[in-house]
Amino acid sequence: MKTKIFRQFFSLFLFAAFISINAQIKPTIYVLATGGTIAGQGATAVASGYKPGTITVDQLLSAVPSIKDIADIKAEQVANIGSQDMNDEVWLKLSKRVNELVSQKDVDGIVITHGTDTQEETAYFLNLTVKSNKPVVLVGSMRPSTAISADGPRNIYNAVACAVAKESIGKGVMVVMDDRILGADDIAKTHTLSVGTFENPNFGHLGIMYNGKPVYTREPVKKHTTASEFDITNLNKLPRVEIILSYSNATSLFVDAAVKAGAKGIVTAGVGNGNITTEIQNALADAVKKSGVAVVRSSRILSGPTTQWDEIDDDKYGFSTSWYVNPYRSRVLLMLALTKTTDYKEIQRMFTEY
Ligand code: DGL
């Protein structure tokens, strides 16, 4: 009888110990830094001017000591640049490093600090090339680290809190800023100065960060991460794709220059529903026919799809259209599409799925 009671007591003790240890084992989050305003420094706390990408990832994280309460943080400096200088080399390095880390059992999620100027492009590139359902969260700030009410520390805390949450698994790549969770599937920077600059103009944001926890109100709309057909594992270079704006009286000058420079793809940021001047249209038709350039019509308008056959006979010219993918993310998708196909109908499929 005594043995039975001892066994029961000992089993209870072991269970309590397991629960207690488990509760103390925090998720492991890697913070990969690339630069941007979040790592920027101004001359004074009130000065508007600042230099982006000046403080290191360790200095960044020292401003947010409370993240150590919710995660075991590891930090790496991948780059330290203003994101206006983001480039294919950093993208490939970043995506390969993320894939290495998320393939490790002891890594639970990734936070990437990044400038806001091209954050939507990097987020979308990772959304299409990361091969895991573990949370990958990009974060930036609109005020430098030295500013009064710098938004970086709060954004970093929220990004880590989002990355450690089980509900964030399988949501694709996300951007967390100004207490909101944005999906990479429809991300756009919409204001030059506001801390709430990022929006999902077509699909609405994924959710909010409230009281240090994510509250999701929608699922991602498009294919991403583990459902993506794109793989950059063995790529060291991406196809050259240029974006060409249309506006009143726009000529074929930049189309001709892009073709001459060896562009494999051209995305147009057209007026209205992706419309372009007749001169641009004719030059693009020639580029498709004579140089095999892939053409995707997108729009300079912030929201709404760029649809096929509205005013332009896309099949006649071999054009694809971007649907809900804005010109900057269309360039990313076309670069990856061209690693697999040049067929305009296959490219069109990709623009309806991603
Ligand atoms: N230089 C810009 C960049 O790195 C500043 C914008 C920002 O990070 O908020 O994107």
Side-chain angles (χ1 to χ4, degrees):
M1 183 60 175
K2 278 186 181 174
T3 312
K4 192 178 173 191
I5 292 169
F6 174 76
R7 276 201 190 126
Q8 283 172 340
F9 173 77
F10 189 65
S11 308
L12 199 61
F13 169 76
L14 282 179
F15 178 69
F18 171 76
I19 294 297
S20 160
I21 290 164
N22 203 32
Q24 287 163 28
I25 297 173
K26 288 173 282 198
T28 298
I29 299 295
Y30 267 79
V31 178
L32 305 182
T34 70
T37 296
I38 196 166
Q41 279 186 308
T44 69
V46 293
S48 300
Y50 64 89
K51 188 175 181 315
T54 46
I55 67 170
T56 65
V57 61
D58 292 330
Q59 288 171 300
L60 263 183
L61 298 180
S62 65
V64 205
S66 48
I67 54 176
K68 292 196 174 90
D69 301 336
I70 57 174
D72 177 15
I73 300 287
K74 313 278 185 196
E76 293 183 0
Q77 193 84 44
V78 174
N80 211 354
I81 55 176
S83 78
Q84 60 269 47
D85 287 324
M86 187 49 70
N87 56 61
D88 298 358
E89 184 191 350
V90 176
W91 274 358
L92 289 168
K93 181 181 174 186
L94 188 58
S95 183
K96 287 174 182 175
R97 184 57 182 148
V98 168
N99 277 319
E100 272 173 4
L101 290 170
V102 292
S103 68
Q104 293 171 204
K105 281 200 172 51
D106 60 346
V107 175
D108 298 287
I110 306 287
V111 166
I112 298 169
T113 61
H114 190 294
T116 60
D117 284 356
T118 59
Q119 190 166 136
E120 61 201 81
E121 299 172 43
T122 303
Y124 192 59
F125 178 74
L126 295 172
N127 205 40
L128 299 176
T129 58
V130 168
K131 298 298 177 190
S132 170
N133 64 359
K134 291 180 182 176
V136 175
V137 180
L138 277 79
V139 62
S141 74
M142 293 299 283
R143 298 173 185 148
S145 62
T146 46
I148 296 174
S149 299
D151 53 327
R154 182 184 181 86
N155 289 343
I156 289 174
Y157 183 88
N158 275 339
V160 173
C162 180
V164 300
K166 293 275 181 272
E167 307 92 314
S168 298
I169 293 171
K171 290 284 194 298
V173 172
M174 297 177 276
V175 168
V176 168
M177 270 185 71
D178 193 34
D179 296 341
R180 285 190 298 170
I181 309 168
L182 293 310
D185 55 358
D186 181 34
I187 185 88
K189 183 173 181 180
T190 65
H191 196 282
T192 55
L193 297 176
S194 162
V195 292
T197 184
F198 282 115
E199 296 286 356
N200 285 149
N202 293 294
F203 309 148
H205 50 282
L206 284 176
I208 59 169
M209 288 304 297
Y210 181 72
N211 201 26
K213 302 279 184 205
V215 179
Y216 288 103
T217 48
R218 80 163 171 95
E219 288 299 322
V221 178
K222 298 293 184 177
K223 283 167 81 171
H224 59 78
T225 57
T226 51
S228 168
E229 65 199 271
F230 305 112
D231 187 337
I232 52 95
T233 311
N234 301 315
L235 289 183
N236 294 309
K237 192 172 165 53
L238 293 167
R240 180 172 184 162
V241 174
E242 300 297 344
I243 300 173
I244 288 169
L245 187 64
S246 192
Y247 42 85
S248 65
N249 208 34
T251 70
S252 65
L253 173 68
F254 298 115
V255 175
D256 302 341
V259 174
K260 193 171 173 205
K264 300 298 181 201
I266 291 176
V267 171
T268 57
V271 293
N273 187 357
N275 293 311
I276 46 186
T277 60
T278 303
E279 186 173 325
I280 289 179
Q281 180 180 304
N282 292 339
L284 290 172
D286 278 351
V288 171
K289 197 170 178 183
K290 296 174 185 166
S291 312
V293 173
V295 170
V296 175
R297 293 193 300 112
S298 188
S299 174
R300 70 187 199 184
I301 307 295
L302 179 62
S303 62
T306 301
T307 58
Q308 297 143 280
W309 316 305
D310 189 89
E311 292 184 53
I312 295 175
D313 183 346
D314 295 294
D315 281 329
K316 179 179 174 186
Y317 302 110
F319 295 164
S320 309
T321 65
S322 71
W323 282 85
Y324 286 102
V325 190
N326 74 15
Y328 322 110
R329 288 186 280 111
S330 290
R331 174 176 168 269
V332 174
L333 180 49
L334 184 52
M335 288 165 83
L336 291 169
L338 289 171
T339 66
K340 297 184 79 72
T341 181
T342 56
D343 174 72
Y344 85 96
K345 287 187 175 173
E346 256 301 274
I347 291 170
Q348 187 63 73
R349 171 188 64 79
M350 294 170 177
F351 273 85
T352 54
E353 291 182 358
Y354 293 96

